[in-house]
Amino acid sequence: MTITFTKTASRRNGSGHREQVQAHNQPGFSTQALHAGASRNHPHHSLTPPIIQTATYTFEDTADLINFMDERMFMEEATRQEYGRYGNPTVRAVERRLAALDHGDEAILVSSGMAAITTALLILLSTGDHLVVTDDSYHRTRVFVNRFLRRFGVECTIVPAGDMVALEQAIQPNTRLILSETPTNPFLRCLDLEILVEIARRRDVRTLIDSTFATPLNLRPLDYGVDLVVHSVTKYLAGHNDIMAGVIVGKGGLMMALRESQSMFGAVVDPTAAYHIGRGLQTLGLRVERQNANGLTIARYLENHPKVRRVWYPGLPSHPDHAIARRQMAGFGGVVSFEIEGDGAAAARFIDAMKLTHIAPSLGGVDSLIEQPAIMSYYDSDPEERLALGIRDELVRFAIGIEDAADLIADLEQALERV
Ligand SMILES: *Cc1c(COP(=O)(O)O)cnc(C)c1O
């Protein structure tokens, strides 16, 4: 038996936040994160689902194989698997849960967040097509679009995140897709999805949102009419900095086309990795609630600190997209970006003095990570290009984990004394 869930309504709570509330008979987020798409009975009465660790599947005899071939020709989804790249029950169960969490019909789990983005773009775009991308986005996404897709005759216009006039003006007759993150990295810009979808529909363009920084707890772009959502599952969804994966979520026929091509691209997830993702999803609600709370507490602390020049966090009224974030998100996530009062060396002294955090890329896991984007992501980039994006040497990105906020603040306090 499978449990499928559809819509969860949202309403404002006392503090003006949007909170997901259970519509009649609709389970809440954490219930879905545990049970959606799962079978109730597992072999050997095991409570936990088995890991079906196999690369291929066997057939009883030739008649059994012919039966399967006939079934595959006439049915949308076969009742059994044939070969590991085309499907795996452990992976499938996690895909159903991810689809439910994002309010999609279908989810395709792939081997990394970049595999989700590149797979979606390669399937949706053809030579002569044009796409629009917002500027404050994952560095490798921009590199893929600018260097790689261009070789195949796909043109791209990059517009400033949040500038909806520039976004609409960038749309050409051959524009097929608008791609953006929300919130973006590292400045946490939030795109107004109602306006985005209104523009895209009017101009007959598809929309793809990289929702990694939001998680389905805080935002569900599909509810706004966005066509496709991708996540780096490596981050919040798996949540423990030990698994790499990505997911594409959407509705209807578009997902069927993606599924067919994905089995050809081959960026599949190993069944054991899928099991660990499923395990991570069980605590997604709890972890992200803590990360939302930590993010807000720490952003407020940093904003009032004399050694901090500026803080970017969508939960702060000082953030340019605070109003949008409040309207469309249930929480603001665990990433806070800020500039140290001083130069890059001062930022490095501060980071090196932090004791609870590790210097590492990535975000969304249980443990806190910290980095200087100018070094971690842009070391080999043209400094002028980097500065044009606003990435100064003294910018710090703090990806907050689930530690106690008081301990993180005590750590920040002693480290900021070194600035
Ligand atoms: C990390 C990240 C990616 C890439 O995901 P991988 O799992 O590392 O391939 C894409 N988009 C965003 C917003 C990310 O943070």
Side-chain angles (χ1 to χ4, degrees), residues 145-205:
V145 164
N146 276 332
R147 298 209 196 128
F148 192 87
L149 285 183
R150 203 148 272 176
R151 272 175 39 207
F152 293 88
V154 174
E155 291 297 323
C156 171
T157 305
I158 296 194
V159 298
D163 186 342
M164 293 313 223
V165 175
L167 185 126
E168 174 146 28
Q169 279 171 353
I171 296 174
Q172 308 172 6
N174 61 338
T175 304
R176 293 284 167 270
L177 187 72
I178 302 169
L179 161 64
S180 181
E181 294 166 23
T182 186
T184 63
N185 175 38
F187 294 115
L188 294 316
R189 297 302 307 261
C190 300
L191 221 63
D192 188 322
L193 294 181
E194 266 168 39
I195 297 179
L196 174 76
V197 169
E198 189 277 313
I199 294 171
R201 287 200 171 148
R202 187 155 38 77
R203 307 293 297 268
D204 203 17
V205 178

Short mmCIF file of all heavy atoms in Angstrom, two decimals, residues 145-205:
data_model
loop_
_atom_site.label_atom_id
_atom_site.label_comp_id
_atom_site.label_asym_id
_atom_site.label_seq_id
_atom_site.Cartn_x
_atom_site.Cartn_y
_atom_site.Cartn_z
N VAL A 145 26.39 26.55 -18.58
CA VAL A 145 25.56 27.26 -19.54
C VAL A 145 26.42 28.07 -20.51
O VAL A 145 26.26 28.01 -21.73
CB VAL A 145 24.56 28.16 -18.78
CG1 VAL A 145 23.95 29.19 -19.69
CG2 VAL A 145 23.49 27.31 -18.12
N ASN A 146 27.39 28.80 -19.95
CA ASN A 146 28.18 29.72 -20.76
C ASN A 146 29.20 29.02 -21.65
O ASN A 146 29.42 29.42 -22.78
CB ASN A 146 28.94 30.70 -19.87
CG ASN A 146 28.05 31.87 -19.49
OD1 ASN A 146 27.14 32.23 -20.23
ND2 ASN A 146 28.30 32.43 -18.32
N ARG A 147 29.86 28.00 -21.13
CA ARG A 147 30.92 27.36 -21.91
C ARG A 147 30.40 26.15 -22.66
O ARG A 147 30.66 25.97 -23.83
CB ARG A 147 32.06 26.92 -20.99
CG ARG A 147 32.68 28.10 -20.30
CD ARG A 147 34.14 27.88 -19.98
NE ARG A 147 34.55 28.88 -19.01
CZ ARG A 147 35.17 28.60 -17.88
NH1 ARG A 147 35.52 27.37 -17.60
NH2 ARG A 147 35.49 29.56 -17.04
N PHE A 148 29.65 25.30 -21.98
CA PHE A 148 29.29 24.01 -22.56
C PHE A 148 28.10 24.12 -23.51
O PHE A 148 28.19 23.75 -24.68
CB PHE A 148 29.00 23.02 -21.43
CG PHE A 148 28.90 21.61 -21.91
CD1 PHE A 148 30.03 20.80 -22.01
CD2 PHE A 148 27.68 21.08 -22.27
CE1 PHE A 148 29.93 19.50 -22.45
CE2 PHE A 148 27.57 19.78 -22.73
CZ PHE A 148 28.69 18.99 -22.81
N LEU A 149 26.99 24.67 -23.03
CA LEU A 149 25.79 24.75 -23.88
C LEU A 149 26.05 25.61 -25.12
O LEU A 149 25.50 25.37 -26.18
CB LEU A 149 24.60 25.29 -23.09
CG LEU A 149 23.94 24.32 -22.11
CD1 LEU A 149 22.73 24.96 -21.47
CD2 LEU A 149 23.54 23.01 -22.81
N ARG A 150 26.90 26.63 -24.95
CA ARG A 150 27.20 27.51 -26.08
C ARG A 150 27.82 26.73 -27.23
O ARG A 150 27.56 27.01 -28.40
CB ARG A 150 28.16 28.61 -25.58
CG ARG A 150 28.13 29.84 -26.44
CD ARG A 150 28.38 31.10 -25.63
NE ARG A 150 27.16 31.64 -25.07
CZ ARG A 150 27.12 32.70 -24.27
NH1 ARG A 150 28.25 33.31 -23.94
NH2 ARG A 150 25.98 33.14 -23.80
N ARG A 151 28.65 25.71 -26.90
CA ARG A 151 29.28 24.87 -27.95
C ARG A 151 28.22 24.16 -28.79
O ARG A 151 28.48 23.75 -29.91
CB ARG A 151 30.15 23.80 -27.30
CG ARG A 151 31.55 24.26 -27.04
CD ARG A 151 32.38 23.23 -26.27
NE ARG A 151 32.16 21.86 -26.67
CZ ARG A 151 32.34 20.82 -25.85
NH1 ARG A 151 32.73 21.02 -24.61
NH2 ARG A 151 32.14 19.59 -26.27
N PHE A 152 27.05 23.94 -28.22
CA PHE A 152 25.99 23.24 -28.94
C PHE A 152 24.97 24.22 -29.53
O PHE A 152 23.86 23.84 -29.88
CB PHE A 152 25.31 22.24 -28.01
CG PHE A 152 26.24 21.12 -27.63
CD1 PHE A 152 27.07 21.24 -26.53
CD2 PHE A 152 26.34 19.98 -28.41
CE1 PHE A 152 27.96 20.24 -26.19
CE2 PHE A 152 27.23 18.97 -28.08
CZ PHE A 152 28.04 19.10 -26.97
N GLY A 153 25.36 25.49 -29.58
CA GLY A 153 24.49 26.49 -30.22
C GLY A 153 23.30 26.91 -29.38
O GLY A 153 22.29 27.36 -29.90
N VAL A 154 23.42 26.74 -28.05
CA VAL A 154 22.37 27.25 -27.16
C VAL A 154 22.87 28.56 -26.57
O VAL A 154 23.94 28.60 -25.97
CB VAL A 154 22.03 26.24 -26.04
CG1 VAL A 154 21.05 26.85 -25.04
CG2 VAL A 154 21.48 24.95 -26.62
N GLU A 155 22.13 29.64 -26.77
CA GLU A 155 22.56 30.95 -26.29
C GLU A 155 21.90 31.26 -24.96
O GLU A 155 20.81 30.76 -24.66
CB GLU A 155 22.20 32.03 -27.31
CG GLU A 155 23.00 31.95 -28.60
CD GLU A 155 24.50 32.17 -28.40
OE1 GLU A 155 24.87 33.01 -27.56
OE2 GLU A 155 25.29 31.48 -29.08
N CYS A 156 22.58 32.10 -24.19
CA CYS A 156 22.09 32.38 -22.85
C CYS A 156 22.23 33.86 -22.53
O CYS A 156 23.20 34.50 -22.93
CB CYS A 156 22.94 31.57 -21.88
SG CYS A 156 22.65 32.00 -20.18
N THR A 157 21.24 34.41 -21.85
CA THR A 157 21.35 35.77 -21.33
C THR A 157 21.31 35.69 -19.82
O THR A 157 20.44 35.02 -19.26
CB THR A 157 20.18 36.66 -21.83
OG1 THR A 157 20.14 36.60 -23.25
CG2 THR A 157 20.34 38.10 -21.36
N ILE A 158 22.26 36.36 -19.18
CA ILE A 158 22.30 36.37 -17.72
C ILE A 158 21.73 37.70 -17.24
O ILE A 158 22.14 38.77 -17.72
CB ILE A 158 23.74 36.12 -17.22
CG1 ILE A 158 24.15 34.72 -17.67
CG2 ILE A 158 23.81 36.29 -15.70
CD1 ILE A 158 25.35 34.13 -17.05
N VAL A 159 20.75 37.64 -16.35
CA VAL A 159 20.12 38.86 -15.84
C VAL A 159 20.31 38.93 -14.33
O VAL A 159 20.46 37.90 -13.68
CB VAL A 159 18.60 38.91 -16.19
CG1 VAL A 159 18.39 38.94 -17.69
CG2 VAL A 159 17.84 37.76 -15.56
N PRO A 160 20.30 40.15 -13.77
CA PRO A 160 20.47 40.26 -12.32
C PRO A 160 19.29 39.60 -11.58
O PRO A 160 18.14 39.82 -11.94
CB PRO A 160 20.47 41.78 -12.06
CG PRO A 160 20.67 42.41 -13.40
CD PRO A 160 20.15 41.47 -14.42
N ALA A 161 19.64 38.77 -10.57
CA ALA A 161 18.59 38.11 -9.79
C ALA A 161 17.70 39.17 -9.15
O ALA A 161 18.20 40.13 -8.58
CB ALA A 161 19.22 37.23 -8.72
N GLY A 162 16.41 39.01 -9.29
CA GLY A 162 15.47 39.94 -8.66
C GLY A 162 14.99 41.05 -9.59
O GLY A 162 14.01 41.71 -9.29
N ASP A 163 15.67 41.25 -10.72
CA ASP A 163 15.26 42.31 -11.65
C ASP A 163 14.29 41.71 -12.67
O ASP A 163 14.69 41.20 -13.71
CB ASP A 163 16.50 42.91 -12.33
CG ASP A 163 16.14 44.11 -13.19
OD1 ASP A 163 14.95 44.28 -13.53
OD2 ASP A 163 17.06 44.88 -13.54
N MET A 164 12.99 41.80 -12.37
CA MET A 164 11.98 41.15 -13.22
C MET A 164 11.80 41.88 -14.56
O MET A 164 11.40 41.26 -15.55
CB MET A 164 10.64 41.08 -12.49
CG MET A 164 10.70 40.15 -11.29
SD MET A 164 11.49 38.57 -11.70
CE MET A 164 10.46 37.41 -10.91
N VAL A 165 12.11 43.17 -14.60
CA VAL A 165 12.02 43.92 -15.86
C VAL A 165 13.11 43.42 -16.80
O VAL A 165 12.85 43.10 -17.97
CB VAL A 165 12.14 45.44 -15.60
CG1 VAL A 165 12.17 46.20 -16.92
CG2 VAL A 165 10.98 45.92 -14.72
N ALA A 166 14.34 43.31 -16.28
CA ALA A 166 15.45 42.78 -17.10
C ALA A 166 15.15 41.36 -17.54
O ALA A 166 15.45 40.98 -18.68
CB ALA A 166 16.75 42.83 -16.29
N LEU A 167 14.54 40.60 -16.66
CA LEU A 167 14.23 39.20 -16.99
C LEU A 167 13.26 39.13 -18.16
O LEU A 167 13.47 38.39 -19.12
CB LEU A 167 13.65 38.51 -15.75
CG LEU A 167 13.37 37.02 -15.89
CD1 LEU A 167 14.05 36.25 -14.78
CD2 LEU A 167 11.90 36.72 -15.88
N GLU A 168 12.21 39.94 -18.10
CA GLU A 168 11.24 39.89 -19.20
C GLU A 168 11.86 40.42 -20.49
O GLU A 168 11.62 39.87 -21.57
CB GLU A 168 9.96 40.67 -18.85
CG GLU A 168 9.02 40.74 -20.05
CD GLU A 168 7.54 40.71 -19.72
OE1 GLU A 168 7.18 41.16 -18.61
OE2 GLU A 168 6.76 40.27 -20.59
N GLN A 169 12.68 41.48 -20.36
CA GLN A 169 13.30 42.05 -21.57
C GLN A 169 14.27 41.07 -22.24
O GLN A 169 14.53 41.15 -23.43
CB GLN A 169 14.03 43.35 -21.23
CG GLN A 169 13.07 44.52 -21.16
CD GLN A 169 13.71 45.77 -20.60
OE1 GLN A 169 14.85 45.75 -20.13
NE2 GLN A 169 12.98 46.87 -20.63
N ALA A 170 14.81 40.15 -21.45
CA ALA A 170 15.80 39.19 -21.99
C ALA A 170 15.13 38.09 -22.80
O ALA A 170 15.79 37.36 -23.54
CB ALA A 170 16.61 38.58 -20.85
N ILE A 171 13.81 37.96 -22.69
CA ILE A 171 13.11 36.88 -23.39
C ILE A 171 13.02 37.19 -24.89
O ILE A 171 12.61 38.27 -25.29
CB ILE A 171 11.70 36.65 -22.79
CG1 ILE A 171 11.84 36.17 -21.34
CG2 ILE A 171 10.90 35.65 -23.63
CD1 ILE A 171 10.52 36.04 -20.61
N GLN A 172 13.46 36.23 -25.70
CA GLN A 172 13.46 36.37 -27.16
C GLN A 172 12.46 35.36 -27.74
O GLN A 172 12.01 34.46 -27.03
CB GLN A 172 14.86 36.04 -27.71
CG GLN A 172 15.99 36.81 -27.04
CD GLN A 172 17.36 36.29 -27.49
OE1 GLN A 172 17.47 35.42 -28.37
NE2 GLN A 172 18.42 36.81 -26.88
N PRO A 173 12.18 35.47 -29.06
CA PRO A 173 11.24 34.49 -29.66
C PRO A 173 11.71 33.04 -29.48
O PRO A 173 10.89 32.13 -29.40
CB PRO A 173 11.21 34.88 -31.14
CG PRO A 173 11.62 36.32 -31.17
CD PRO A 173 12.57 36.53 -30.02
N ASN A 174 13.05 32.82 -29.42
CA ASN A 174 13.54 31.44 -29.28
C ASN A 174 13.87 31.06 -27.83
O ASN A 174 14.51 30.03 -27.59
CB ASN A 174 14.78 31.23 -30.17
CG ASN A 174 15.93 32.15 -29.78
OD1 ASN A 174 15.72 33.20 -29.16
ND2 ASN A 174 17.15 31.78 -30.14
N THR A 175 13.44 31.87 -26.88
CA THR A 175 13.70 31.53 -25.47
C THR A 175 12.80 30.37 -25.06
O THR A 175 11.59 30.41 -25.25
CB THR A 175 13.44 32.75 -24.56
OG1 THR A 175 14.22 33.84 -25.01
CG2 THR A 175 13.80 32.43 -23.11
N ARG A 176 13.43 29.32 -24.51
CA ARG A 176 12.67 28.13 -24.11
C ARG A 176 12.56 27.99 -22.60
O ARG A 176 11.68 27.30 -22.10
CB ARG A 176 13.36 26.86 -24.65
CG ARG A 176 13.34 26.74 -26.15
CD ARG A 176 11.97 26.31 -26.68
NE ARG A 176 11.92 26.49 -28.12
CZ ARG A 176 11.50 27.61 -28.71
NH1 ARG A 176 11.06 28.63 -27.99
NH2 ARG A 176 11.52 27.72 -30.02
N LEU A 177 13.53 28.62 -21.87
CA LEU A 177 13.61 28.29 -20.45
C LEU A 177 14.16 29.47 -19.65
O LEU A 177 15.05 30.18 -20.12
CB LEU A 177 14.56 27.08 -20.30
CG LEU A 177 14.67 26.47 -18.90
CD1 LEU A 177 13.39 25.72 -18.56
CD2 LEU A 177 15.86 25.52 -18.84
N ILE A 178 13.60 29.63 -18.44
CA ILE A 178 14.19 30.55 -17.45
C ILE A 178 14.67 29.69 -16.29
O ILE A 178 13.91 28.86 -15.78
CB ILE A 178 13.16 31.59 -16.95
CG1 ILE A 178 12.59 32.39 -18.12
CG2 ILE A 178 13.80 32.51 -15.91
CD1 ILE A 178 11.38 33.25 -17.74
N LEU A 179 15.93 29.88 -15.92
CA LEU A 179 16.52 29.09 -14.83
C LEU A 179 16.98 30.04 -13.73
O LEU A 179 17.69 31.01 -14.00
CB LEU A 179 17.72 28.29 -15.37
CG LEU A 179 18.74 27.75 -14.36
CD1 LEU A 179 18.12 26.74 -13.42
CD2 LEU A 179 19.92 27.10 -15.09
N SER A 180 16.55 29.75 -12.51
CA SER A 180 17.01 30.56 -11.39
C SER A 180 17.04 29.73 -10.11
O SER A 180 16.34 28.73 -9.99
CB SER A 180 16.10 31.77 -11.18
OG SER A 180 16.59 32.57 -10.10
N GLU A 181 17.85 30.18 -9.19
CA GLU A 181 17.77 29.65 -7.83
C GLU A 181 16.90 30.59 -7.02
O GLU A 181 16.77 31.75 -7.36
CB GLU A 181 19.17 29.61 -7.20
CG GLU A 181 20.09 28.63 -7.89
CD GLU A 181 21.55 28.81 -7.51
OE1 GLU A 181 21.84 29.36 -6.43
OE2 GLU A 181 22.39 28.39 -8.30
N THR A 182 16.33 30.09 -5.97
CA THR A 182 15.71 30.96 -4.96
C THR A 182 15.64 30.20 -3.66
O THR A 182 15.08 29.10 -3.65
CB THR A 182 14.33 31.51 -5.39
OG1 THR A 182 13.89 32.44 -4.39
CG2 THR A 182 13.26 30.45 -5.55
N PRO A 183 16.22 30.68 -2.55
CA PRO A 183 17.17 31.78 -2.50
C PRO A 183 18.46 31.45 -3.27
O PRO A 183 18.80 30.29 -3.42
CB PRO A 183 17.48 31.92 -1.01
CG PRO A 183 16.34 31.26 -0.30
CD PRO A 183 15.90 30.17 -1.20
N THR A 184 19.15 32.52 -3.70
CA THR A 184 20.36 32.35 -4.49
C THR A 184 21.59 32.25 -3.59
O THR A 184 21.51 32.48 -2.39
CB THR A 184 20.55 33.54 -5.44
OG1 THR A 184 20.73 34.72 -4.66
CG2 THR A 184 19.35 33.72 -6.36
N ASN A 185 22.70 31.90 -4.22
CA ASN A 185 23.96 31.71 -3.53
C ASN A 185 24.98 32.73 -4.05
O ASN A 185 25.18 32.78 -5.25
CB ASN A 185 24.44 30.28 -3.82
CG ASN A 185 25.80 30.00 -3.25
OD1 ASN A 185 26.12 30.44 -2.16
ND2 ASN A 185 26.60 29.29 -4.00
N PRO A 186 25.65 33.48 -3.24
CA PRO A 186 25.63 33.50 -1.77
C PRO A 186 24.76 34.60 -1.17
O PRO A 186 24.73 34.73 0.05
CB PRO A 186 27.10 33.78 -1.44
CG PRO A 186 27.56 34.68 -2.55
CD PRO A 186 26.78 34.27 -3.77
N PHE A 187 24.05 35.41 -1.99
CA PHE A 187 23.38 36.58 -1.42
C PHE A 187 21.91 36.34 -1.06
O PHE A 187 21.20 37.27 -0.69
CB PHE A 187 23.54 37.80 -2.34
CG PHE A 187 24.97 38.25 -2.45
CD1 PHE A 187 25.66 38.18 -3.64
CD2 PHE A 187 25.64 38.70 -1.32
CE1 PHE A 187 26.99 38.56 -3.72
CE2 PHE A 187 26.98 39.10 -1.38
CZ PHE A 187 27.65 39.02 -2.58
N LEU A 188 21.45 35.09 -1.20
CA LEU A 188 20.12 34.72 -0.73
C LEU A 188 19.02 35.59 -1.34
O LEU A 188 18.03 35.92 -0.67
CB LEU A 188 20.04 34.76 0.81
CG LEU A 188 20.84 33.79 1.67
CD1 LEU A 188 20.77 32.35 1.14
CD2 LEU A 188 22.26 34.16 1.94
N ARG A 189 19.22 35.98 -2.62
CA ARG A 189 18.16 36.74 -3.29
C ARG A 189 16.96 35.80 -3.49
O ARG A 189 17.14 34.62 -3.82
CB ARG A 189 18.66 37.26 -4.66
CG ARG A 189 19.81 38.23 -4.58
CD ARG A 189 19.50 39.47 -3.76
NE ARG A 189 18.29 40.16 -4.17
CZ ARG A 189 18.25 41.23 -4.96
NH1 ARG A 189 19.37 41.75 -5.44
NH2 ARG A 189 17.10 41.81 -5.26
N CYS A 190 15.76 36.33 -3.30
CA CYS A 190 14.55 35.51 -3.46
C CYS A 190 13.75 36.01 -4.64
O CYS A 190 13.45 37.20 -4.73
CB CYS A 190 13.71 35.54 -2.19
SG CYS A 190 14.59 34.92 -0.76
N LEU A 191 13.44 35.11 -5.54
CA LEU A 191 12.68 35.46 -6.73
C LEU A 191 11.19 35.43 -6.41
O LEU A 191 10.73 34.48 -5.78
CB LEU A 191 12.98 34.42 -7.80
CG LEU A 191 13.17 34.92 -9.21
CD1 LEU A 191 14.38 35.83 -9.26
CD2 LEU A 191 13.37 33.74 -10.15
N ASP A 192 10.46 36.42 -6.86
CA ASP A 192 9.01 36.40 -6.68
C ASP A 192 8.42 35.41 -7.70
O ASP A 192 8.35 35.70 -8.90
CB ASP A 192 8.44 37.81 -6.90
CG ASP A 192 6.96 37.88 -6.53
OD1 ASP A 192 6.24 36.90 -6.80
OD2 ASP A 192 6.55 38.89 -5.94
N LEU A 193 8.04 34.23 -7.22
CA LEU A 193 7.63 33.17 -8.15
C LEU A 193 6.31 33.46 -8.83
O LEU A 193 6.08 33.00 -9.95
CB LEU A 193 7.58 31.82 -7.41
CG LEU A 193 8.94 31.31 -6.91
CD1 LEU A 193 8.77 29.96 -6.21
CD2 LEU A 193 9.96 31.18 -8.03
N GLU A 194 5.42 34.24 -8.16
CA GLU A 194 4.16 34.59 -8.82
C GLU A 194 4.43 35.42 -10.07
O GLU A 194 3.86 35.17 -11.13
CB GLU A 194 3.27 35.39 -7.86
CG GLU A 194 2.30 34.50 -7.10
CD GLU A 194 1.61 35.22 -5.96
OE1 GLU A 194 1.25 36.40 -6.12
OE2 GLU A 194 1.46 34.59 -4.90
N ILE A 195 5.32 36.40 -9.92
CA ILE A 195 5.65 37.25 -11.07
C ILE A 195 6.40 36.45 -12.13
O ILE A 195 6.12 36.54 -13.33
CB ILE A 195 6.49 38.48 -10.61
CG1 ILE A 195 5.66 39.34 -9.65
CG2 ILE A 195 6.95 39.30 -11.82
CD1 ILE A 195 6.39 40.55 -9.12
N LEU A 196 7.35 35.61 -11.68
CA LEU A 196 8.13 34.80 -12.62
C LEU A 196 7.20 33.94 -13.49
O LEU A 196 7.33 33.93 -14.72
CB LEU A 196 9.10 33.88 -11.86
CG LEU A 196 9.85 32.88 -12.74
CD1 LEU A 196 10.97 33.57 -13.50
CD2 LEU A 196 10.40 31.72 -11.93
N VAL A 197 6.28 33.25 -12.85
CA VAL A 197 5.40 32.34 -13.59
C VAL A 197 4.45 33.13 -14.50
O VAL A 197 4.17 32.71 -15.63
CB VAL A 197 4.64 31.41 -12.62
CG1 VAL A 197 3.53 30.65 -13.32
CG2 VAL A 197 5.62 30.44 -11.96
N GLU A 198 4.01 34.28 -14.03
CA GLU A 198 3.12 35.10 -14.86
C GLU A 198 3.84 35.52 -16.15
O GLU A 198 3.30 35.38 -17.25
CB GLU A 198 2.66 36.32 -14.04
CG GLU A 198 1.57 37.16 -14.70
CD GLU A 198 2.10 38.17 -15.70
OE1 GLU A 198 3.08 38.87 -15.38
OE2 GLU A 198 1.55 38.22 -16.81
N ILE A 199 5.09 35.98 -16.02
CA ILE A 199 5.87 36.39 -17.20
C ILE A 199 6.11 35.18 -18.11
O ILE A 199 5.89 35.23 -19.32
CB ILE A 199 7.23 37.00 -16.77
CG1 ILE A 199 7.02 38.33 -16.03
CG2 ILE A 199 8.14 37.20 -17.99
CD1 ILE A 199 8.31 38.89 -15.40
N ALA A 200 6.55 34.08 -17.50
CA ALA A 200 6.92 32.90 -18.29
C ALA A 200 5.71 32.36 -19.07
O ALA A 200 5.84 32.00 -20.25
CB ALA A 200 7.50 31.83 -17.39
N ARG A 201 4.55 32.32 -18.41
CA ARG A 201 3.37 31.77 -19.09
C ARG A 201 2.92 32.68 -20.23
O ARG A 201 2.56 32.22 -21.30
CB ARG A 201 2.23 31.59 -18.09
CG ARG A 201 2.52 30.42 -17.18
CD ARG A 201 1.26 29.91 -16.52
NE ARG A 201 1.55 28.67 -15.82
CZ ARG A 201 0.94 28.28 -14.71
NH1 ARG A 201 0.00 29.02 -14.18
NH2 ARG A 201 1.27 27.13 -14.14
N ARG A 202 2.97 33.99 -19.96
CA ARG A 202 2.56 34.95 -20.98
C ARG A 202 3.45 34.84 -22.21
O ARG A 202 3.00 34.98 -23.35
CB ARG A 202 2.61 36.37 -20.38
CG ARG A 202 2.06 37.46 -21.26
CD ARG A 202 1.56 38.66 -20.45
NE ARG A 202 2.36 39.01 -19.29
CZ ARG A 202 3.53 39.65 -19.35
NH1 ARG A 202 4.04 40.01 -20.50
NH2 ARG A 202 4.18 39.94 -18.23
N ARG A 203 4.77 34.55 -21.98
CA ARG A 203 5.70 34.48 -23.10
C ARG A 203 5.95 33.04 -23.57
O ARG A 203 6.84 32.79 -24.38
CB ARG A 203 7.03 35.15 -22.70
CG ARG A 203 6.87 36.58 -22.16
CD ARG A 203 6.40 37.56 -23.23
NE ARG A 203 7.38 37.68 -24.28
CZ ARG A 203 8.35 38.58 -24.30
NH1 ARG A 203 8.44 39.45 -23.32
NH2 ARG A 203 9.20 38.62 -25.29
N ASP A 204 5.20 32.10 -23.00
CA ASP A 204 5.29 30.69 -23.41
C ASP A 204 6.70 30.12 -23.21
O ASP A 204 7.26 29.48 -24.10
CB ASP A 204 4.84 30.56 -24.87
CG ASP A 204 4.39 29.15 -25.19
OD1 ASP A 204 4.12 28.39 -24.23
OD2 ASP A 204 4.33 28.79 -26.38
N VAL A 205 7.26 30.37 -22.04
CA VAL A 205 8.60 29.90 -21.71
C VAL A 205 8.48 29.01 -20.47
O VAL A 205 7.70 29.31 -19.57
CB VAL A 205 9.54 31.09 -21.40
CG1 VAL A 205 10.92 30.62 -21.00
CG2 VAL A 205 9.63 32.02 -22.60
#
